[in-house]
Amino acid sequence: VQLQASGGGLVQAGGSLRLSCVVSGRTLTRCNMGWFRKAPGKEREFVAAISWSGGRSYEDSVKGRFTISRDNAKNTVYLQMNSLIPEDTAIYYCAADVPPVQIASMRDAADGYDYWGQGTQVTVSS
């Protein structure tokens, strides 16, 4: 399974970005997906997750601003980020949880995921 994240960039505070994560090697319908981020000097943290059945979970600081979604036909997961603030600056990673039995989950711990993308940089200027 390979994950390719894209869509990062430089944006002013209050702006928006949409991150994409294309999954190859496994149909997306078998995957629970997550987004994590790592800012300089900080630990990697959970951002959002979506189960194969469409359930969603968010980290508190992004609730109401970020939306995770999936397009199974395109094997792609998205993270729509609105009202960005400088504290959102980080490298964003997508991750796939592919359980042997199709179980819907929205894991917020990195060790719950089996595969990771390469990361895409998001920089929010004040």
Side-chain angles (χ1 to χ4, degrees):
V1 178
Q2 292 186 325
L3 285 66
Q4 181 70 44
S6 63
L10 173 64
V11 64
Q12 288 189 331
S16 299
L17 284 173
R18 188 177 79 158
L19 305 184
S20 300
C21 177
V22 178
V23 178
S24 60
R26 185 68 61 95
T27 178
L28 190 61
T29 55
R30 288 281 287 117
C31 304
N32 301 301
M33 300 296 296
W35 285 97
F36 289 74
R37 65 187 179 187
K38 188 178 187 311
K42 294 186 177 181
E43 296 292 318
R44 179 172 49 185
E45 67 172 356
F46 169 75
V47 177
I50 186 167
S51 71
W52 69 264
S53 59
R56 293 169 172 83
S57 176
Y58 297 95
E59 192 271 330
D60 285 346
S61 71
V62 308
K63 285 180 181 177
R65 300 189 298 121
F66 291 11
T67 302
I68 189 171
S69 62
R70 59 195 296 154
D71 185 335
N72 290 335
K74 295 183 178 180
N75 250 33
T76 301
V77 175
Y78 303 99
L79 185 68
Q80 178 67 44
M81 305 186 296
N82 299 329
S83 302
L84 284 161
I85 59 178
E87 290 74 17
D88 294 320
T89 294
I91 300 174
Y92 284 70
Y93 299 89
C94 60
D97 162 29
V98 189
V101 178
Q102 195 168 13
I103 298 174
S105 66
M106 297 169 286
R107 301 178 186 275
D108 60 4
D111 61 5
Y113 291 84
D114 306 299
Y115 303 97
W116 291 81
Q118 84 289 359
T120 184
Q121 176 71 48
V122 172
T123 303
V124 184
S125 63
S126 57

